[in-house]
Amino acid sequence: MCMKIVIIGAGTSGLAAAALLDNYWGDKVDISLYYDPNNKNIAVGEGTTPQFVSGLCQRLGYQIDDAIKDLDATIKLGVRFKNWIPGKEYFHGFGQLGRDDKYDDNVSSIYAILNDCFIGGANHTGPTTTLPNTGFIDYDLAFHIETQTLSDFLFNHLQDSINIIPDVVEEVISDGNNIQAVKCKDSGLVEADFWVDASGFSAILLNKLNPEWVDISEHLPIDRAIPQQVPNNSGEIPSYTLSEATKNGWIWTIPTQSRLGTGYLYSSKFTTDDEAREDYNKWLIDNHGVELQTDRVISYKPGHWKDVWIGNCFAVGLSGGFVEPLESLGHHYLVFMLEMFTSLNSSLKMLDYNRDRVNQVQKQIWEDCINFLGLHYCTNRTDSPFWRYMTDHKTHWVKTVEEKCNKEFLDVFLSDDMLNFWDHDSYTQIMNGLQMFNKQSIRDFVDSRLDSDEIYKDSEQQYNEILAAKQAVGRISHKEVLETIKGLSTLPYLT
C-alpha cells in the first residue's frame, strides 16, 4: 500500500518538493498537490545556486542545455558586489576549475594576495558577459530564471505523474501533534499519511503544531523588498547577479533573456516604505532611465522555525523560514533539505531518529547561512544608521574570522567546519573583496609554520597552474550561447 502525501502550495518550493519526492519514491507514494489558483507568483527574476541546478537537473533527468531552453534561463557564474565598500567592488564566483579536487583549498591565494594578483583561485575570476568556451559539465554554473517560468516548467513536468488540484484550504484540522486533515472549498475533507507545508510565509500546516520561531533579525535585519522589472538595453546579457549596496540595504539586478529583474531590499528598522520607494526610484532613474511603477512592498520576518519536521508535517521553502536572497541561499537550502529528507527516509518509515536528524541538520544549515551572509556585511561601515548597526551586530563567528584574517590568515588546513558551506576560494574572494586581509600578518602566519617554505612554494605553484588553466580557456558570448540553444544562431558549443 503506497503512502499518501499531500503538498499544500504550488510555488517554487511546493512544485520542487513534488518533483523530487515523486522522482525518489515513484509508485511507492501517491502525491497530491493542492494550490490556490488566485495566489500568483511574484513576477521577479530569481537567482539560483549550482546546487539547485544540479539537484533539479539530475533528479528530473534534464541536460543543462535542455533546461536552459525550457526555462528560458540565463547562466549565472557568480555575484558581483558593488559599493559594499563605497567606491569598490568585488566578485564571488562559482567554481571554474571546481571539478578538480586538487584545488579544494585556497593555498594559491597566499601567493596571489601577497603579490597583488588575486584571480579568485579556482573560482570564476570576475563579472563578464561571456562564458568559458568549454562544455557546461566542466564548470559550476547556476541559472537566472523568471519565477513564473520555473513554476510552469515544473507544472508541465508533474502533470502526468501526480494529482494537481486547484482548491483553497479553508481549515486545518490538527490535534497539536499531527495534521489530521484539511477542509478545502471544493474538495471537502482531505486526509493524508504525510503532509508537506509549502504554503509560504503563513505556514498554515506547521503553525498548527506549535512550532518555535527563531528570529535572526539581530544580525540580518532586512525585512522588506520592492521588485521591479526594467528593460535591458545593453545588447549583452551579464553572466552574474549584481548586488549593489545602498545606505539602508542593497539592490539586486538579475538578467533574464528578455529583461532585467531588479529589487530593493531594506530594513524597516532604518527606513520607511515611502523613503525606500524614493531612494529606489532615484536609483532606477539614474541607472535605467525609468521610474518606479509599483506600490507593492513585500514584507517578511527574517528567521526560521526551530524544527521544520513536526509529527507528520514537513515544512519547505518559505514555510520553513526566510533570509534575504543575497546569495540565493533559499534555493540552495530547499534542494539540500529535500535531498536529505528523501535519503534519510528512503524506507518511508518516518522514524523519530530520522525526524530528529533532519531538524538537527537544518538548524546547522541555518546557522551557516546566517554566518555566511553576515560575513558580507563585515564592511565596518559607519556612514548610515543601518551600516553602523551592521558593524555593531556581527555574529560571533564573523567577529572571530575577522580577527583571524587580520592577525593571521584564513586557515588553509580545513580546521573550520563552517568553511565547508562554500569552498575555501569563495570565502577568500569575499574576505579579500572586503579588505579583511593583512599582508604582514599573512607572512607572519605562514612563517610560523614548520613547513613555511613548502607552503610558499606550493602556493606559487598552484597559483601558476590555476592561471595557466584559466588562460587556456577561451570565452564566448553569453547571449550567443543562449541564442544557439534556442536555435537562433549557429555558434557551436558543447554540453
Side-chain angles (χ1 to χ4, degrees):
M1 184 175 178
C2 65
M3 174 177 284
K4 184 175 181 180
I5 297 176
V6 168
I7 299 171
I8 303 297
T12 299
S13 299
L15 292 167
L20 269 62
L21 300 187
D22 177 64
N23 174 269
Y24 194 93
W25 282 312
D27 58 10
K28 295 179 181 178
V29 293
D30 175 13
I31 299 176
S32 296
L33 184 148
Y34 289 78
Y35 74 100
D36 183 349
N38 297 314
N39 284 346
K40 303 296 183 183
N41 282 312
I42 300 168
V44 298
E46 288 192 275
T48 62
T49 65
Q51 291 79 2
F52 178 84
V53 171
S54 62
L56 207 61
C57 287
Q58 288 173 11
R59 282 292 190 96
L60 303 187
Y62 271 80
Q63 297 295 320
I64 294 292
D65 55 333
D66 291 329
I68 290 171
K69 186 173 183 178
D70 288 353
L71 285 167
D72 206 27
T74 62
I75 294 172
K76 174 185 174 184
L77 302 182
V79 183
R80 174 189 171 197
F81 291 90
K82 181 179 179 181
N83 288 333
W84 286 71
I85 293 181
K88 305 287 185 181
E89 62 177 69
Y90 69 91
F91 188 71
H92 169 214
F94 305 137
Q96 182 176 348
L97 310 177
R99 307 305 170 104
D100 193 332
D101 291 342
K102 70 179 179 179
Y103 300 132
D104 275 352
D105 57 36
N106 66 328
V107 171
S108 70
S109 58
I110 295 173
Y111 175 85
I113 293 171
L114 291 178
N115 290 277
D116 297 317
C117 56
F118 183 68
I119 56 172
N123 288 352
H124 295 287
T125 301
T128 73
T129 58
T130 65
L131 303 173
N133 191 14
T134 62
F136 290 140
I137 63 171
D138 293 331
Y139 59 90
D140 291 333
L141 61 87
F143 291 158
H144 295 122
I145 47 182
E146 295 274 12
T147 309
Q148 189 58 52
T149 305
L150 176 59
S151 293
D152 292 343
F153 168 82
L154 292 171
F155 256 110
N156 291 334
H157 177 83
L158 290 166
Q159 60 184 355
D160 295 327
S161 57
I162 72 166
N163 308 303
I164 302 177
I165 302 105
D167 207 344
V168 178
V169 174
E170 295 184 325
E171 181 184 355
V172 178
I173 302 170
S174 168
D175 62 4
N177 297 309
N178 292 281
I179 303 299
Q180 296 167 315
V182 299
K183 286 183 180 178
C184 293
K185 181 178 180 181
D186 297 323
S187 305
L189 192 69
V190 176
E191 298 178 321
D193 300 308
F194 196 82
W195 302 82
V196 176
D197 189 341
S199 61
F201 293 127
S202 60
I204 62 172
L205 301 182
L206 197 72
N207 258 313
K208 293 292 185 178
L209 301 175
N210 306 307
E212 180 181 340
W213 180 254
V214 179
D215 187 341
I216 63 172
S217 62
E218 176 186 355
H219 302 297
L220 296 171
I222 285 180
D223 59 0
R224 298 284 190 277
I226 306 173
Q228 178 161 314
Q229 301 278 7
V230 299
N232 181 359
N233 298 318
S234 69
E236 296 291 343
I237 298 178
S239 49
Y240 59 87
T241 297
L242 172 63
S243 170
E244 183 173 349
T246 68
K247 66 180 180 181
N248 289 309
W250 57 276
I251 294 172
W252 79 76
T253 302
I254 291 176
T256 64
Q257 291 197 26
S258 58
R259 53 192 175 180
L260 300 174
T262 73
Y264 181 26
L265 285 138
Y266 58 95
S267 171
S268 61
K269 292 181 180 179
F270 300 98
T271 188
T272 66
D273 293 340
D274 287 340
E275 289 170 339
R277 289 189 187 98
E278 183 178 341
D279 291 342
Y280 186 28
N281 184 65
K282 184 179 185 305
W283 182 90
L284 287 168
I285 293 171
D286 291 346
N287 289 272
H288 298 285
V290 300
E291 293 188 349
L292 183 62
Q293 298 170 350
T294 179
D295 291 328
R296 185 171 191 180
V297 174
I298 303 166
S299 62
Y300 63 89
K301 294 191 302 180
H304 62 94
W305 299 111
K306 180 180 177 182
D307 295 324
V308 290
W309 183 359
I310 301 176
N312 63 347
C313 178
F314 179 50
V316 298
L318 300 180
S319 296
F322 187 74
V323 66
E324 61 186 87
L326 185 58
E327 290 269 9
S328 304
L329 296 186
H331 290 97
H332 187 104
Y333 168 77
L334 170 65
V335 170
F336 178 87
M337 289 299 295
L338 287 169
E339 294 278 4
M340 182 179 61
F341 175 74
T342 51
S343 63
L344 276 174
N345 292 284
S346 57
S347 69
L348 286 171
K349 291 183 171 140
M350 306 297 176
L351 303 179
D352 289 344
Y353 177 92
N354 300 342
R355 182 188 302 111
D356 291 345
R357 183 62 180 151
V358 166
N359 287 326
Q360 289 165 6
V361 172
Q362 76 95 23
K363 290 170 196 171
Q364 185 61 55
I365 290 296
W366 270 106
E367 182 178 342
D368 290 349
C369 284
I370 294 163
N371 282 325
F372 183 62
L373 294 183
L375 176 65
H376 294 69
Y377 287 96
C378 190
T379 65
N380 292 316
R381 288 176 59 172
T382 57
D383 53 309
S384 73
F386 170 76
W387 286 105
R388 284 195 295 274
Y389 179 90
M390 298 307 294
T391 294
D392 291 340
H393 289 79
K394 300 168 185 173
T395 68
H396 174 73
W397 181 84
V398 171
K399 290 178 182 177
T400 61
V401 82
E402 182 181 25
E403 180 185 42
K404 172 76 171 171
C405 291
N406 183 53
K407 295 186 177 180
E408 293 184 344
F409 185 59
L410 178 65
D411 207 326
V412 299
F413 310 109
L414 303 177
S415 61
D416 187 347
D417 290 340
M418 170 60 197
L419 300 180
N420 294 327
F421 186 68
W422 285 96
D423 59 82
H424 271 52
D425 280 327
S426 292
Y427 289 92
T428 308
Q429 282 183 303
I430 295 165
M431 293 167 177
N432 189 58
L434 294 174
Q435 302 176 359
M436 293 172 67
F437 294 122
N438 180 309
K439 286 186 181 180
Q440 188 56 52
S441 295
I442 294 175
R443 293 188 185 95
D444 292 343
F445 175 59
V446 176
D447 289 344
S448 72
R449 303 287 301 184
L450 295 177
D451 55 347
S452 59
D453 289 342
E454 193 68 25
I455 291 175
Y456 282 124
K457 179 181 176 181
D458 288 347
S459 177
E460 182 175 4
Q461 178 180 335
Q462 189 181 97
Y463 172 82
N464 287 327
E465 288 178 2
I466 290 173
L467 178 62
K470 287 186 173 182
Q471 290 177 337
V473 176
R475 309 291 298 191
I476 51 179
S477 164
H478 182 195
K479 183 178 180 181
E480 234 181 316
V481 170
L482 298 177
E483 289 175 345
T484 298
I485 292 172
K486 294 171 70 174
L488 300 178
S489 72
T490 58
L491 179 73
Y493 72 97
L494 303 175
T495 58

